[in-house]
Amino acid sequence: MPSMKPSRAAAAVGSIAVSAHRKTVKVGDTLVFTGRVKGIKAGSTLMLQHMHNGKWTTLRTTAAVNKNGTYTIKRTFTTKGTEQVRVATKSGTFHSSPVTVQVS
């Protein structure tokens, strides 16, 4: 009798890299975040998130992955302080490392 081994689905492999074109901005200034993805399909929606009260919260700022695996997200910050942001897939499966921005 053949042995019955549970099948294991391959783990999804993907990554998101992000960088901000500036580390400090004034309230009302637009900051541009650019990056590259691996293992994420062109056209996939990416969302900008920020750390708020100890949790990652999705901002109303999105972008689509280009055919070459790059993306650009623009965000205008309206509150002074230190913002910790990252880019995530809409499903939340993948996210970038955080980037810190000072808003004055």
Side-chain angles (χ1 to χ4, degrees), residues 37-92:
V37 300
K38 291 183 182 177
I40 300 169
K41 291 181 180 180
S44 296
T45 300
L46 299 176
M47 303 178 305
L48 192 65
Q49 297 180 326
H50 74 135
M51 182 63 74
H52 182 70
N53 294 330
K55 290 185 176 182
W56 287 105
T57 304
T58 300
L59 300 168
R60 293 182 181 169
T61 308
T62 63
V65 175
N66 297 317
K67 290 179 185 177
N68 63 359
T70 63
Y71 66 89
T72 300
I73 298 178
K74 295 179 181 181
R75 175 71 183 184
T76 301
F77 291 95
T78 57
T79 307
K80 289 183 180 183
T82 301
E83 286 281 353
Q84 196 172 24
V85 298
R86 72 180 185 181
V87 175
T89 53
K90 189 173 184 179
S91 66

Side-chain angles (χ1 to χ4, degrees), residues 12-31:
V13 178
S15 64
I16 303 173
V18 63
S19 63
H21 81 286
R22 294 185 301 191
K23 299 293 183 187
T24 59
V25 294
K26 292 185 184 284
V27 169
D29 285 354
T30 299
L31 185 58

